[in-house]
Amino acid sequence: MALDHNDIWQPTADYVGRAQITALAKRLGVADSEQLYELSLADPDTYWREVVDFCGIRWSRDYERYCDMSRGAPFPSWFVGGELNWVDTILDNVEAADRTAVVAEREDGTVRSVTYRELADEVRSLAAGLLSIGLRRGDRVGLLMENGIEASVSLLAIAHIGAIVVPLFSGFGTDAIVARLAPCGARALIATSGFQRRGRFVSTRETIVAAHRELPALEYVVLKRSPEDPTPTNTLGCTHDWHAILAPAESAPPSARMSPNDPFMVIFTSGTTGKPKGAVHVHGGFPIKIAHDAAVHFDVGPGDVFCWPADMGWIAGSLILSSALLRGATLVCYDGAPDYPDWSRMGRLVERYRVTHFGSAPTLIRGLSSNEAISTAADFSSLRLLITAGESIAPEHFVWFERHFGRGECPLINYTGGTEVSGSLLASVVTKPIVPAGFNTRSPGVAVEVLDPAGQPLTGAVGELAILAPFVGMTASFWQDDERYLETYWNTVPGVWVHGDLAMQTDDGHYFLLGRSDDTIKVAGKRVGPAEVEEILVEIDGVVEAAVIGAPDPVKGQAIVAFLTCDGAPDEIRKIAAMRIQERLGRPFAPRAVFVVPQLPKTRSSKIMRRVIRSVYSGAPAGDLSSLVNPEAITDIERIVRQA
C-alpha cells in the first residue's frame, strides 16, 4: 500500500505530558527522549540509578556500582555489591495489594483472578511446598505449563527460593524437552497434565513420562492436573501433585537473597543447526531491563491492564508477565487458540477486561485483518497503546492494526530484541512520531548501531545490527558454554555484540528491521533483506503471507525464491508477484520461482521459519525443528516444490 503522512502516528500533547518516559526524563533533568538516550550512554551510573528508583526495584542491599567489566565486555558484572530477589518488587508492592494482579481466561471461558496480595500468598505457598520436597537454591527447574495464574505463580516461586527456571513450550515433544533439561542438569519439572485447544483436551502425560525416563537427573515431577484430564494424578508418572504440595504462605521463609548476577532463568533458543542455546538471565539483568522497557517503551504504569497472549515457554511469556507485574499493572492471560470459537476472541478479551495495552505478533495481526468484520466487532475504547513484536511486520498490516484496534488514536509500538537480550534493542516511544513498521528510537542504555561489513556505522543502507558495549539485560553467557556464546555474538567484530539482524537507519532517525543476517539474500553483489521483498508481496490483493529465501544461482550468486499463502487465484498471483518484485527492486531481483503453498512453517510464537523453507527447497537437513508448530507445512512445501 502507498503510505502517506496520515499513516504516521503523531503524539498529542496529552500523550507526551503523561508518558512514563516524560516523567523519567524530568527526573534526570533532560528535555526529551533523544537527550535521555544520550545520557544513558554517557553516564550509565546516573541513568540506571534513577531507573531502578523510578521503577521501584526493591533491594535487600543497595548496590555500589552500576557495572564492573574487569572480565571483559562479554562478561560484565551488574550492580556490584547489591543484593536482591527480583520477585520482591512484585510481592512486596504494598500500594497494589488490593489491585487485581492477574486475570486468567481459559479457552472454555473459565476465568479466575487474583489480587497482588493473593498472588503473593500463592507464590509463597508454592515456594514453601517446593522447599519441603527438597528443592533448593541453584536447582534448575523446568516449567511446562499453559499461560495462566498457576504458571505465573510457578515461575515466581522458583525464583523466590533462588532456583533457576527453565521455560518449556507447551507444545514440545519428548526430544525437545530432553534437549533443554539434560544440558542444564534440571532436578525438577513443574508441568501441566494437558490443556485445551480448539475445544479438545491435549494431553501432555505421555510426553512428560517419556521425558522423565530419559532424564536420570530429574528427581521430581510436580504435576498440575488439568480439569479436563480424566486420568488420576497418581497414574500420571509424577512424584508430586502441584496442589498437594502447597503449604501455608506464612510457612515460607523470606525470598532467597541473591546477587544481581545470580541466574534466575536459563531459556533455550532453537538454533539453525546444532543443539539449542541456553541463554542465562540474572536477577539484576532481565527483570530490571523489562521494568525499564515497560515504562519507557510500553508506557505501563500502576492500574493499567496489559494483555499480550503468549506461551510461557518462550521469552515473551516471562517478558509479558514482568512488564505488567513489575509496573503494578493487571496482567490478562489467555490460554487457547486466538481464533476460537471465532476471530472475535481477542477483541472480546480487550472489551471484557477493559484492556489498556494490547500486544500481538504480526502473524496474528494478519489473521485478524483477514477477518476484519468479526475481529473488530468489539469495543476497543479502553485501549491506549498497542505493541507488536516477534518478527518484521509489513507497513499495511501495521497501519491496519493501528487504525482498527487502535481506532487511529493509539500508538503502535514496534519492539525488537531477542531471547539473549531480554528486552528491546530498537523500539518506539510515545513522545515521537511513529512510521509504519519502523522504530523511532534505540532503547536507552543500549549502544545500538547499524554497521557495514567493515564494522563502520551505516545510514541509508542495509547493515548488521550491533551493540557497541555491554548492556543491562544481555545474557550472562550460554549455560556452561562460554565458547559458543563468544562465537555467536562477540567474535565477528572484537568487543562488539553482532546481533544477527539486518537493519537500516534512515537519514531522519527511524530504523527498520529487514530479516536475519543468515536470511540475507545477495543477488548480483547486492544485499537485500527478505522483509524488503515480503513487504512488496503482501501488498498484492489475495496474498495473505509471504516468505522469501535466497537460492544458489550460477550467474547471480543467489536468486530470490518466494513462498506465498493466498486466498486468490494462485496462477494469477504468481504472475503478479514476479512482475511486482521486478518493478520495485529491478530486473536482477526478478524471482526464480514463486510458489503458492497452503501454509508456511512457523514457531508457536508465530515466527516464519525461513531457514526451514530454505532447507526443504535445497534438499538439505532441516536442522532443529523442536519449535515448529505445524510440521505438515514441510510436507506441503516438499510436494509443491517437487511438482514444479
Side-chain angles (χ1 to χ4, degrees), residues 323 415 446 568 644:
S323 293
Y415 186 84
V446 189

mmCIF file of all heavy atoms in Angstrom, residues 323 415 446 568 644:
data_model
loop_
_atom_site.group_PDB
_atom_site.id
_atom_site.type_symbol
_atom_site.label_atom_id
_atom_site.label_comp_id
_atom_site.label_asym_id
_atom_site.label_seq_id
_atom_site.Cartn_x
_atom_site.Cartn_y
_atom_site.Cartn_z
ATOM 1 N N SER A 323 6.554 -7.296 32.520
ATOM 2 C CA SER A 323 6.149 -5.950 32.093
ATOM 3 C C SER A 323 4.950 -5.456 32.878
ATOM 4 O O SER A 323 4.879 -4.289 33.271
ATOM 5 C CB SER A 323 5.809 -5.953 30.602
ATOM 6 O OG SER A 323 6.940 -6.188 29.809
ATOM 7 N N TYR A 415 8.667 -3.412 18.551
ATOM 8 C CA TYR A 415 9.604 -3.751 19.625
ATOM 9 C C TYR A 415 10.418 -4.949 19.189
ATOM 10 O O TYR A 415 9.872 -5.965 18.770
ATOM 11 C CB TYR A 415 8.775 -4.085 20.867
ATOM 12 C CG TYR A 415 9.528 -4.337 22.155
ATOM 13 C CD1 TYR A 415 9.915 -3.285 22.974
ATOM 14 C CD2 TYR A 415 9.781 -5.633 22.587
ATOM 15 C CE1 TYR A 415 10.556 -3.522 24.192
ATOM 16 C CE2 TYR A 415 10.420 -5.877 23.800
ATOM 17 C CZ TYR A 415 10.801 -4.817 24.599
ATOM 18 O OH TYR A 415 11.424 -5.046 25.795
ATOM 19 N N VAL A 446 21.366 1.043 25.599
ATOM 20 C CA VAL A 446 21.895 0.069 24.651
ATOM 21 C C VAL A 446 22.535 0.826 23.488
ATOM 22 O O VAL A 446 21.845 1.527 22.746
ATOM 23 C CB VAL A 446 20.799 -0.879 24.129
ATOM 24 C CG1 VAL A 446 21.429 -2.014 23.322
ATOM 25 C CG2 VAL A 446 19.978 -1.458 25.275
ATOM 26 N N GLY A 568 -6.586 -16.010 -3.202
ATOM 27 C CA GLY A 568 -6.995 -15.670 -4.566
ATOM 28 C C GLY A 568 -6.558 -16.733 -5.550
ATOM 29 O O GLY A 568 -6.134 -17.831 -5.167
ATOM 30 N N ALA A 644 6.897 -28.788 -9.231
ATOM 31 C CA ALA A 644 7.135 -27.611 -10.090
ATOM 32 C C ALA A 644 8.039 -27.956 -11.269
ATOM 33 O O ALA A 644 8.882 -28.833 -11.208
ATOM 34 C CB ALA A 644 7.772 -26.510 -9.259
#
